[in-house]
Amino acid sequence: RLQIAKEVYDQTMSKPSVSDFLERCQQSRFSGKRSLWDFVDSQRSGLLKYPLLLKEVIRVTKSDHPDADGLAAALGEMNDIIKEMDELTGEVTCAQTLKKLVFTHRASCHLVNEAKALLFKGTLK
């Protein structure tokens, strides 16, 4: 499901009309200068609290309780979802960073263009 969401996001962002609209929204003082990604990422980061809550519920649940196994399974599923989301988030962040790179020579390095992970974010001095 997350892969489909990423593909839909990529397709939507590649449309000039959508990009133009989002750019104008981001420049507007009413948007708080936030990008679409900021809104999407805030929802993703909210999911990170659920494993902590599940761990606490598991900690106070007796091992012979009928829900104990289900809680453990739910925690495992939640961790898998968060791991997949983190990987896809990394790919999207990497792709956004690559779009901002300016190469001083005509042909950019193919290894950079094929990157799937962002190892460093910041200003090079």
Coordinates of all heavy atoms in Angstrom, one line a residue, residues 57-112:
V57 N 1.0 -1.1 26.9 CA -0.2 -2.0 27.1 C 0.3 -3.4 27.3 O -0.2 -4.1 28.1 CB -1.2 -1.9 25.9 CG1 -2.3 -2.9 26.0 CG2 -1.8 -0.5 25.9
I58 N 1.2 -3.9 26.4 CA 1.7 -5.2 26.6 C 2.4 -5.4 27.9 O 2.2 -6.4 28.6 CB 2.7 -5.5 25.4 CG1 2.0 -5.7 24.1 CG2 3.6 -6.8 25.7 CD1 2.9 -5.7 22.9
R59 N 3.1 -4.4 28.4 CA 3.8 -4.5 29.7 C 2.8 -4.7 30.8 O 3.1 -5.5 31.8 CB 4.6 -3.2 29.9 CG 5.5 -3.3 31.2 CD 6.3 -2.0 31.4 NE 5.4 -0.9 31.8 CZ 4.9 -0.8 33.1 NH1 5.2 -1.7 34.0 NH2 4.1 0.3 33.4
V60 N 1.7 -4.1 30.8 CA 0.7 -4.2 31.9 C -0.3 -5.3 31.7 O -1.2 -5.5 32.5 CB 0.0 -2.9 32.2 CG1 1.0 -1.8 32.6 CG2 -0.8 -2.4 31.0
T61 N -0.2 -6.0 30.5 CA -1.2 -7.1 30.2 C -0.6 -8.4 30.7 O 0.6 -8.7 30.4 CB -1.4 -7.2 28.7 OG1 -2.0 -5.9 28.3 CG2 -2.4 -8.3 28.4
K62 N -1.3 -9.2 31.4 CA -0.9 -10.5 31.9 C -0.7 -11.4 30.7 O -1.4 -11.4 29.7 CB -1.9 -11.1 32.9 CG -2.0 -10.3 34.2 CD -2.9 -10.9 35.1 CE -3.0 -10.1 36.4 NZ -3.9 -10.6 37.4
S63 N 0.3 -12.3 30.8 CA 0.7 -13.2 29.7 C -0.4 -14.2 29.3 O -0.5 -14.6 28.2 CB 2.0 -13.9 30.0 OG 1.9 -14.7 31.1
D64 N -1.3 -14.5 30.3 CA -2.4 -15.4 30.0 C -3.7 -14.7 29.6 O -4.7 -15.4 29.4 CB -2.6 -16.3 31.3 CG -3.1 -15.5 32.5 OD1 -2.8 -14.2 32.5 OD2 -3.6 -16.1 33.4
H65 N -3.6 -13.4 29.4 CA -4.8 -12.7 29.0 C -5.1 -13.0 27.5 O -4.1 -13.2 26.7 CB -4.5 -11.2 29.1 CG -5.8 -10.3 28.9 ND1 -6.2 -10.0 27.6 CD2 -6.6 -9.8 29.8 CE1 -7.3 -9.3 27.8 NE2 -7.6 -9.1 29.1
P66 N -6.3 -13.2 27.1 CA -6.7 -13.6 25.7 C -6.1 -12.6 24.6 O -5.9 -13.0 23.5 CB -8.2 -13.6 25.7 CG -8.7 -13.4 27.1 CD -7.5 -13.0 27.9
D67 N -5.9 -11.4 25.0 CA -5.4 -10.4 24.0 C -3.9 -10.3 23.9 O -3.4 -9.5 23.1 CB -6.0 -9.0 24.4 CG -7.5 -8.9 24.2 OD1 -8.0 -9.7 23.3 OD2 -8.1 -8.1 24.8
A68 N -3.2 -11.0 24.8 CA -1.7 -10.8 24.9 C -1.1 -11.2 23.5 O -0.2 -10.4 23.1 CB -1.2 -11.7 26.0
D69 N -1.5 -12.3 22.9 CA -0.8 -12.6 21.6 C -1.2 -11.6 20.5 O -0.4 -11.3 19.7 CB -1.3 -14.0 21.2 CG -0.7 -15.1 22.1 OD1 0.4 -14.9 22.8 OD2 -1.3 -16.2 22.2
G70 N -2.4 -11.2 20.5 CA -2.9 -10.2 19.5 C -2.1 -8.9 19.7 O -1.8 -8.2 18.7
L71 N -1.9 -8.5 20.9 CA -1.1 -7.2 21.1 C 0.3 -7.3 20.6 O 0.8 -6.4 20.0 CB -1.1 -6.9 22.6 CG -2.5 -6.4 23.2 CD1 -2.4 -6.3 24.7 CD2 -2.8 -5.0 22.6
A72 N 0.9 -8.5 20.9 CA 2.3 -8.7 20.4 C 2.3 -8.7 18.8 O 3.2 -8.1 18.2 CB 2.8 -10.0 20.9
A73 N 1.3 -9.3 18.2 CA 1.2 -9.4 16.8 C 1.0 -8.0 16.2 O 1.6 -7.6 15.2 CB 0.1 -10.3 16.3
A74 N 0.2 -7.2 16.9 CA -0.1 -5.8 16.4 C 1.1 -5.0 16.5 O 1.4 -4.1 15.6 CB -1.2 -5.2 17.3
L75 N 1.9 -5.1 17.6 CA 3.2 -4.4 17.7 C 4.1 -4.8 16.6 O 4.8 -3.9 16.0 CB 3.8 -4.7 19.1 CG 5.2 -4.0 19.3 CD1 5.0 -2.5 19.3 CD2 5.7 -4.5 20.7
G76 N 4.2 -6.0 16.2 CA 5.1 -6.5 15.1 C 4.7 -5.9 13.8 O 5.5 -5.4 13.0
E77 N 3.3 -5.9 13.6 CA 2.8 -5.3 12.3 C 3.1 -3.8 12.3 O 3.5 -3.2 11.2 CB 1.3 -5.5 12.2 CG 1.0 -7.0 11.9 CD 1.4 -7.4 10.5 OE1 1.3 -6.5 9.6 OE2 1.8 -8.5 10.3
M78 N 2.9 -3.1 13.4 CA 3.1 -1.7 13.4 C 4.6 -1.3 13.2 O 4.9 -0.4 12.4 CB 2.7 -1.1 14.8 CG 2.8 0.4 14.9 SD 1.9 1.4 13.7 CE 0.2 1.1 14.3
N79 N 5.5 -2.1 13.8 CA 6.9 -1.9 13.5 C 7.3 -2.1 12.1 O 8.1 -1.4 11.5 CB 7.7 -2.8 14.4 CG 7.7 -2.3 15.9 OD1 7.6 -1.1 16.1 ND2 7.9 -3.2 16.8
D80 N 6.6 -3.1 11.4 CA 6.9 -3.4 10.0 C 6.4 -2.2 9.1 O 7.1 -1.8 8.2 CB 6.2 -4.7 9.5 CG 6.8 -5.9 10.1 OD1 8.0 -5.8 10.6 OD2 6.2 -7.0 10.1
I81 N 5.2 -1.7 9.5 CA 4.7 -0.6 8.7 C 5.6 0.7 8.9 O 5.9 1.3 7.9 CB 3.2 -0.2 9.2 CG1 2.3 -1.3 8.7 CG2 2.8 1.1 8.7 CD1 0.9 -1.3 9.4
I82 N 6.0 0.9 10.1 CA 6.9 2.1 10.3 C 8.2 1.9 9.6 O 8.7 2.9 9.0 CB 7.1 2.3 11.8 CG1 5.7 2.8 12.4 CG2 8.2 3.3 12.1 CD1 5.7 2.9 13.9
K83 N 8.8 0.7 9.6 CA 10.0 0.5 8.9 C 9.9 0.8 7.4 O 10.7 1.4 6.8 CB 10.5 -1.0 9.1 CG 11.8 -1.3 8.4 CD 12.2 -2.7 8.7 CE 13.5 -3.0 7.9 NZ 13.8 -4.4 7.8
E84 N 8.8 0.3 6.8 CA 8.5 0.5 5.4 C 8.3 2.0 5.1 O 8.8 2.5 4.1 CB 7.3 -0.3 4.9 CG 7.1 -0.3 3.4 CD 5.9 -1.1 3.0 OE1 5.4 -1.9 3.8 OE2 5.6 -1.0 1.8
M85 N 7.6 2.6 6.0 CA 7.3 4.1 5.8 C 8.6 4.8 5.9 O 8.9 5.8 5.1 CB 6.3 4.6 6.8 CG 4.9 4.2 6.5 SD 3.8 4.8 7.7 CE 3.9 6.6 7.4
D86 N 9.5 4.5 6.8 CA 10.8 5.2 6.9 C 11.6 5.0 5.7 O 12.3 5.9 5.2 CB 11.5 4.6 8.2 CG 11.0 5.2 9.5 OD1 10.2 6.2 9.4 OD2 11.3 4.6 10.5
E87 N 11.6 3.8 5.1 CA 12.4 3.5 3.9 C 11.9 4.4 2.7 O 12.6 5.0 2.0 CB 12.4 2.1 3.5 CG 13.2 1.2 4.5 CD 13.0 -0.3 4.3 OE1 12.2 -0.7 3.4 OE2 13.6 -1.1 5.0
L88 N 10.6 4.4 2.6 CA 10.0 5.2 1.5 C 10.1 6.7 1.7 O 10.4 7.5 0.8 CB 8.5 4.9 1.3 CG 8.2 3.4 0.9 CD1 6.7 3.1 0.9 CD2 8.7 3.2 -0.5
T89 N 10.0 7.1 3.0 CA 10.3 8.5 3.3 C 11.7 8.9 2.9 O 11.9 10.0 2.4 CB 10.0 8.8 4.8 OG1 8.7 8.4 5.1 CG2 10.3 10.2 5.2
G90 N 12.6 8.0 3.2 CA 14.0 8.3 2.9 C 14.2 8.4 1.4 O 14.9 9.3 0.9
E91 N 13.5 7.6 0.6 CA 13.6 7.6 -0.8 C 13.1 8.9 -1.4 O 13.6 9.6 -2.3 CB 12.9 6.4 -1.5 CG 13.6 5.1 -1.3 CD 12.9 4.0 -1.9 OE1 12.1 4.2 -2.8 OE2 13.1 2.8 -1.5
V92 N 11.9 9.4 -0.8 CA 11.3 10.6 -1.3 C 12.2 11.8 -0.9 O 12.4 12.7 -1.7 CB 9.9 10.8 -0.7 CG1 9.3 12.1 -1.0 CG2 9.0 9.7 -1.3
T93 N 12.7 11.8 0.3 CA 13.6 12.9 0.7 C 14.8 12.9 -0.1 O 15.3 14.0 -0.5 CB 14.0 12.7 2.2 OG1 12.8 12.6 3.0 CG2 14.9 13.8 2.7
C94 N 15.4 11.8 -0.5 CA 16.6 11.7 -1.3 C 16.2 12.3 -2.7 O 17.0 13.1 -3.3 CB 17.0 10.3 -1.4 SG 18.5 10.0 -2.5
A95 N 15.1 11.9 -3.3 CA 14.7 12.3 -4.6 C 14.5 13.9 -4.6 O 14.9 14.5 -5.5 CB 13.4 11.6 -5.0
Q96 N 13.9 14.4 -3.5 CA 13.7 15.8 -3.4 C 15.0 16.6 -3.4 O 15.2 17.6 -4.0 CB 12.8 16.2 -2.2 CG 11.4 15.8 -2.4 CD 10.6 16.1 -1.1 OE1 11.1 16.2 0.0 NE2 9.3 16.2 -1.3
T97 N 16.0 16.0 -2.6 CA 17.3 16.6 -2.5 C 18.0 16.6 -3.8 O 18.7 17.5 -4.2 CB 18.1 15.9 -1.4 OG1 17.4 16.0 -0.2 CG2 19.5 16.6 -1.2
L98 N 17.9 15.5 -4.6 CA 18.5 15.3 -5.9 C 18.0 16.4 -6.9 O 18.8 16.9 -7.7 CB 18.3 13.9 -6.4 CG 19.1 12.8 -5.8 CD1 18.7 11.5 -6.4 CD2 20.6 13.0 -6.0
K99 N 16.8 16.7 -6.8 CA 16.2 17.7 -7.7 C 16.8 19.1 -7.4 O 16.8 19.9 -8.3 CB 14.7 17.8 -7.5 CG 13.9 16.6 -8.1 CD 12.4 16.7 -7.8 CE 11.7 15.5 -8.3 NZ 10.3 15.6 -8.0
K100 N 17.3 19.3 -6.2 CA 17.9 20.6 -5.9 C 19.3 20.7 -6.2 O 19.9 21.8 -6.2 CB 17.7 20.9 -4.4 CG 16.2 21.0 -4.0 CD 16.1 21.2 -2.5 CE 14.6 21.2 -2.1 NZ 14.5 21.3 -0.6
L101 N 20.0 19.6 -6.5 CA 21.4 19.6 -6.8 C 21.7 20.3 -8.2 O 21.0 20.1 -9.1 CB 22.0 18.2 -6.9 CG 22.1 17.5 -5.6 CD1 22.7 16.1 -5.8 CD2 23.0 18.2 -4.6
V102 N 22.7 21.1 -8.2 CA 23.2 21.8 -9.4 C 24.6 21.3 -9.7 O 25.5 21.4 -8.8 CB 23.2 23.3 -9.2 CG1 23.7 24.0 -10.5 CG2 21.8 23.8 -8.9
F103 N 24.8 20.7 -10.8 CA 26.1 20.2 -11.2 C 26.8 21.2 -12.1 O 26.2 21.9 -12.9 CB 26.0 18.9 -12.0 CG 25.4 17.7 -11.2 CD1 24.1 17.4 -11.1 CD2 26.3 17.0 -10.4 CE1 23.6 16.4 -10.4 CE2 25.8 16.0 -9.6 CZ 24.5 15.7 -9.6
T104 N 28.1 21.4 -11.9 CA 28.9 22.4 -12.6 C 29.3 21.9 -14.0 O 29.8 22.7 -14.8 CB 30.1 22.8 -11.8 OG1 30.9 21.6 -11.5 CG2 29.7 23.4 -10.5
H105 N 29.1 20.6 -14.2 CA 29.5 20.1 -15.6 C 28.2 19.6 -16.2 O 27.1 19.5 -15.6 CB 30.5 19.0 -15.5 CG 30.2 17.9 -14.5 ND1 29.3 16.9 -14.7 CD2 30.6 17.7 -13.2 CE1 29.2 16.1 -13.6 NE2 30.0 16.6 -12.7
R106 N 28.2 19.3 -17.5 CA 27.0 19.0 -18.2 C 26.3 17.7 -17.8 O 25.1 17.6 -17.6 CB 27.3 19.0 -19.7 CG 27.5 20.3 -20.3 CD 27.7 20.2 -21.8 NE 27.8 21.6 -22.3 CZ 27.4 21.9 -23.5 NH1 26.9 21.0 -24.3 NH2 27.5 23.1 -23.9
A107 N 27.1 16.7 -17.7 CA 26.5 15.4 -17.4 C 26.7 15.1 -15.9 O 27.7 15.1 -15.3 CB 27.3 14.3 -18.1
S108 N 25.5 14.9 -15.2 CA 25.6 14.6 -13.8 C 26.0 13.1 -13.6 O 25.8 12.3 -14.5 CB 24.2 14.8 -13.2 OG 23.2 14.0 -13.7
C109 N 26.5 12.8 -12.5 CA 26.9 11.5 -12.2 C 25.8 10.5 -12.1 O 24.8 10.8 -11.3 CB 27.7 11.5 -10.9 SG 28.3 9.9 -10.3
H110 N 25.8 9.4 -12.9 CA 24.6 8.5 -12.9 C 24.5 7.8 -11.5 O 23.4 7.5 -11.1 CB 24.8 7.5 -14.0 CG 25.8 6.4 -13.7 ND1 27.2 6.6 -13.8 CD2 25.7 5.1 -13.2 CE1 27.8 5.6 -13.5 NE2 27.0 4.6 -13.1
L111 N 25.5 7.7 -10.7 CA 25.4 7.1 -9.4 C 24.6 8.0 -8.5 O 23.8 7.5 -7.7 CB 26.8 6.8 -8.8 CG 27.6 5.8 -9.5 CD1 29.0 5.7 -8.9 CD2 26.9 4.4 -9.5
V112 N 24.8 9.3 -8.6 CA 24.0 10.2 -7.8 C 22.5 10.1 -8.2 O 21.6 10.1 -7.3 CB 24.5 11.7 -8.0 CG1 23.6 12.7 -7.3 CG2 25.9 11.8 -7.4

